[in-house]
Amino acid sequence: MFARLRFAALIALAVPGVASAADIAPPPKPIMTADAIAGIIDRHLAADWQARGIQPTAPASDAEFCRRVYLDLVGRAPKVSELRAFLDDTEPKKRETLVEKLFTLPSHASHLAAVTRAAWLPQTVTNQQFFFFGSQFEVFLRKRYAENTPADLTVRKLLITPLRVNGANGNQRFIQADPNDPESQSLIGFYQANEVKPENAGAAISRLFLGVKLECAQCHDHPFAPYTKEQFWEFAAFFAELNALPNRRPSDTAPAGPQADKNRLNIPNTDKQVIAKFFDGTSPEWNEVMNPRQELAIWLTKPQNPYFAGNLANRMWAHFFGLGILDPVDEPGENNQPSHPALMEELGRAFAAAKFDNRTLMRGIIRSRAYQLTSKLSHPTQTNPRSFARMNLKGLTPAQLFDTLVAATGYRENPQFKNAQFAFFPQANNPRSLFLNRFASTDKPTEASTTILQALMLMNGDFVDSQTASERAEILAAIFEIPGWDTKKRVETVFLTALARMPSPEELEKFASYVDRAGADDKKRLALGDVFWVLLNSPEFLFNH
Amino acid sequence: MNALDRRTLLKLGAVSASVTLSGWMGRLAQAAADAKAKPKRSCILLWMNGGPATIDMWDRKLDHENGGPFKEIATKAPGLKIGEHLPKIAEFGQNLAVLRGMSTKEGDHGRGTYLMRTGVMPSAAGIQYPSIGALVSKEIGDPTSELPNFISVAPQRFFSQDAYGPGFLGPQHASLVVGDNQFNNNVPNADDVLKVQDLAKPKSVDAVNAAARIDMLRDMQEEFAASRPGGVSRSHSAAYDRAIRLMQSESGKVFDLKEEKDAVRQKYGMNLFGQGCLLARRLVEKNVPFIEVTLGNWDTHGNNFDLVKGLCGTLDQAWSALLGDLKERGLLDTTTIVWMGEFGRTPKINQGKGRDHYANAWSAVLAGGGIKGGQAIGKTSKDGTTVEERPTSSADLMATVVKALGLDHEKTNMSNVGRPIPLADRTANPVTEVLA
């Protein structure tokens, strides 16, 4: 009963909980501001819309914005109390204030880290062999997002971490963590997930941080882009030290030193040896102090490197819009042109000018007109998702979905259950693990698909049933039991908790009369559960819009 | 009629629950008209997860140290000999075509799985290739059927999730999975494991409320899809349509293996693979075009011979029961069976009496509909390490299978990157010798 009261309090009271600006540390003041970034986005898109006769959608309501920004920044929809507080807030800058508040929540760092890990190490999502390395690496990313480490420093740290490769057998390599570096244990997950192979690490780094997918140049010259097989192996040669030799070599123990064979590779099945070289054809001035990965880190993260900044900014864009300005984000070429090339270029420059401050970029994107448009189609010119004239529909990650279910139902999750991240072996009594397993997917967010089994789980599974039709239902029971409310108020609250919005007058009428017609109280309770069930199964709940 | 009116009527008992389906029945009727002329063909993939030691089963090397200890036995087909631990399968020699020239290029579990199940290497150009099951669903499946057109029985998808997906063909061709995440073939309750999870509506909800829920949900879906059109909302509706159809129809009973006589169930073997093969037979009887059944644990890096002998026992019993049942029911001529894993294993036996991954020379087997059995095509060297006759790539195999199903392997479908992609890769050269 105490639990019920606790929920009742949460639901009924508008908690004035949104931190005031004074509670929050002042954001760093980089040269490039968030407003300037929003201005860049608005200017380019407005020009494009005008040139192509596109009419963007109306601005998103406060409720739509609130649900969207919670999902994008902290990985779940808002709870009723959070939503009410935001809707009741009369401050003109409340959207910006909310963003600052969300940055401070631990779930912000963990959500962004999970999303980044899935993008950087997709093999850890679909391949059980690599799963552990992915979670290992996610620890590093979480800390970076919590501290808002500039993106170039994050990448540099990843590239220069010392690697002590073991394993004489070419196929059974592993990397030992560096006992002197507390983050090493986490960072090596990246290289382990890339099978401790120079060609895999090189391909991953080029795809992730230059936005250039080199893989097919591994075996032949790239069919669509001007990259040769030789260039691929020259780039891979920056990671040559992963080719552990049977005997101890200088790089195993010393972080720096003579290059020896650390910067060269044999192209497999040929007699040809290549020395590490950048894509632009230049080479580092090899010296005794810097190892190849350090040289690569410096070249890669130079603010003048347009590939690096533009690619990272584009990836961040894709996080908020469901697809990039260049999309796929790592496949430039004749077949894949950016939808707004000038915007992408300028956004990259702005990100570099902002000293690669992720939050400045996020604030800028969130403040843009495009991000704050409704997803509701109102004109035929808005249908192309790449014109960003209406917010795209995005699928939820399995964790986003379950966290949103938790927020909507009030389910009190066993803290141990929360640690379940391992999608491959579901634990029968742990709903989170069952959802992660059933909803694991590699779909692009704007092409999210639903499976029959997912539909069956949401319709008939124990978890949703226990929260909609049972005495054990947590938030629903509270909504039903609050004294003094009429049916409409109860239906309204079910809408707020499930869909983070008020029902339309027609919806309110329809659902309230459905509940009222049920008859006795216990029947009404079941009917209200039916309404909750309908909302939790609706696409409006299951997607970010 | 709006949803609430329907509910009122329901309460009065004036309308049966099936009427609540009227909204999307129209769409189905249209799809039925589109699909009418398609022949009833089925394909069963017996997927050997981990990479089976085909040298010990289908291509014995009796005069070479690589051959290992197993003997060879004759089959019912003159001249076709196979490994000694498949005696029941040998009885069906006339139906088997052994492809001894498999030569593929991928010895990694994940990429090999993708290669063999899609017929192409994982794409660097961002093309999401469909798995063979989705392809058959698209080409032969009836979009109006109550049962999904692609059903995966006990798949072990951890090597490559993508190799099991519908790719650019879209979510309506995704498989329905039963017996997911099972790694122990000897589960005591295989029939429970092989049921569709969450198929029954919760006990807490009575029939009237359940119908009302679905009505109200349809309204929400339609409203949402009208203002947010596109693939995401379409896929949501498609999955719910399929799920509800399955829940409300009698077809779901096909998954209840307790309907079979005990003796029949025993014949297949009371283990996951055996019961999975029985389920496959039941699904073929219901015209499901593609069913795959997985038998795992073929990754025999150590102690190969004991393990392969044991696995062959399971395989021999289940597969022979399946062939016998299909034959008896007159379904073997319209059901093509494909037996393969992601690669074979090294002819050279390692120090732990194991065999490692080997893609350069191995065997796959075809049987049943569209296949000229009783023969082996292709030949490997005396030591089993290279293919000397009729080298067969994954694309060749894919083309052969789709042709056996009566399809044109050069037919194209539009891909997610706007390029038409043929059913089998353009390099494919179907093994016409085994086509009936």
Side-chain angles (χ1 to χ4, degrees), chain B residues 34-107:
Chain B
D34 297 344
K36 59 183 176 238
K38 291 187 177 168
K40 285 175 183 165
R41 297 296 293 267
S42 291
C43 180
I44 298 174
L45 169 62
L46 302 177
W47 179 257
M48 302 295 115
N49 208 51
T54 57
I55 187 173
D56 297 320
M57 304 166 74
W58 307 108
D59 191 11
R60 300 293 305 116
K61 298 293 169 192
L62 300 178
D63 303 326
H64 195 279
E65 60 176 9
N66 286 353
F70 294 167
K71 297 191 180 70
E72 193 170 48
I73 54 172
T75 69
K76 275 278 161 70
L80 179 63
K81 292 181 175 177
I82 62 175
E84 63 173 317
H85 296 299
L86 297 168
K88 289 181 175 151
I89 285 296
E91 296 291 308
F92 292 89
Q94 299 287 8
N95 300 101
L96 306 178
V98 180
L99 301 176
R100 288 191 177 143
M102 291 309 299
S103 185
T104 52
K105 291 208 166 63
E106 191 48 75

Side-chain angles (χ1 to χ4, degrees), chain B residues 265-284:
Chain B
R265 295 188 59 194
Q266 301 279 355
K267 185 173 68 177
Y268 280 80
M270 296 304 283
N271 55 68
L272 195 59
F273 181 71
Q275 299 302 295
C277 285
L278 173 57
L279 177 57
R281 188 262 282 161
R282 288 169 64 84
L283 292 166
V284 168

Side-chain angles (χ1 to χ4, degrees), chain A residues 375 377 450 460 465 530 537, chain B residues 198 204 209 213 228 235 240:
Chain A
S375 62
L377 188 83
T450 310
N460 303 331
D465 188 49
D530 290 339
N537 275 280
Chain B
D198 303 320
S204 55
N209 285 45
R213 282 175 166 199
R228 279 98 164 178
S235 165
Y240 272 78

Side-chain angles (χ1 to χ4, degrees), chain A residues 67 405 408-409 455 458-460 464-465 467-469 476 491 494-495 497-499 501 507 510-512 514-515 525-543, chain B residues 3-4 7 202 205 208-224 236 240 244:
Chain A
R67 185 175 195 269
L405 274 169
T409 60
L458 289 161
M459 289 195 288
N460 303 331
V464 172
D465 188 49
Q467 295 297 341
T468 53
L476 184 73
V491 168
V494 170
F495 263 78
T497 195
L499 302 184
R501 69 167 170 93
E507 286 168 332
K510 179 173 127 179
F511 288 110
Y514 173 78
V515 175
R525 175 199 286 266
L526 290 174
L528 192 67
D530 290 339
V531 174
F532 198 27
W533 181 96
V534 166
L535 301 187
L536 294 181
N537 275 280
S538 72
E540 191 174 348
F541 175 79
L542 295 169
F543 302 113
Chain B
L4 292 176
R7 181 184 148 75
V205 183
V208 174
N209 285 45
R213 282 175 166 199
I214 287 169
D215 274 352
M216 293 188 282
L217 178 59
R218 292 275 168 222
D219 290 348
M220 293 291 288
Q221 280 180 326
E222 274 168 34
E223 212 158 302
F224 189 81
H236 182 268
Y240 272 78
I244 292 166

Side-chain angles (χ1 to χ4, degrees), chain A residues 333-412:
Chain A
E334 270 176 46
N335 294 333
N336 185 18
Q337 301 285 338
S339 56
H340 303 81
L343 169 58
M344 184 158 155
E345 216 185 297
E346 204 173 336
L347 203 59
R349 276 205 305 270
F351 188 37
K355 302 209 179 304
F356 296 104
D357 183 273
N358 282 322
R359 288 189 189 169
T360 301
L361 181 60
M362 287 191 256
R363 286 183 193 104
I365 290 172
I366 293 170
R367 283 178 207 179
S368 72
R369 181 175 170 200
Y371 183 80
Q372 301 205 9
L373 291 174
T374 177
S375 62
K376 263 193 181 168
L377 188 83
S378 57
H379 194 269
T381 56
Q382 299 154 356
T383 47
N384 181 358
R386 301 196 64 185
S387 61
F388 305 106
R390 94 183 153 108
M391 179 46 78
N392 290 319
L393 218 53
K394 293 179 284 182
L396 304 183
T397 65
Q400 249 178 335
L401 172 62
F402 193 73
D403 287 334
T404 298
L405 274 169
V406 169
T409 60
Y411 170 64
R412 270 161 298 147

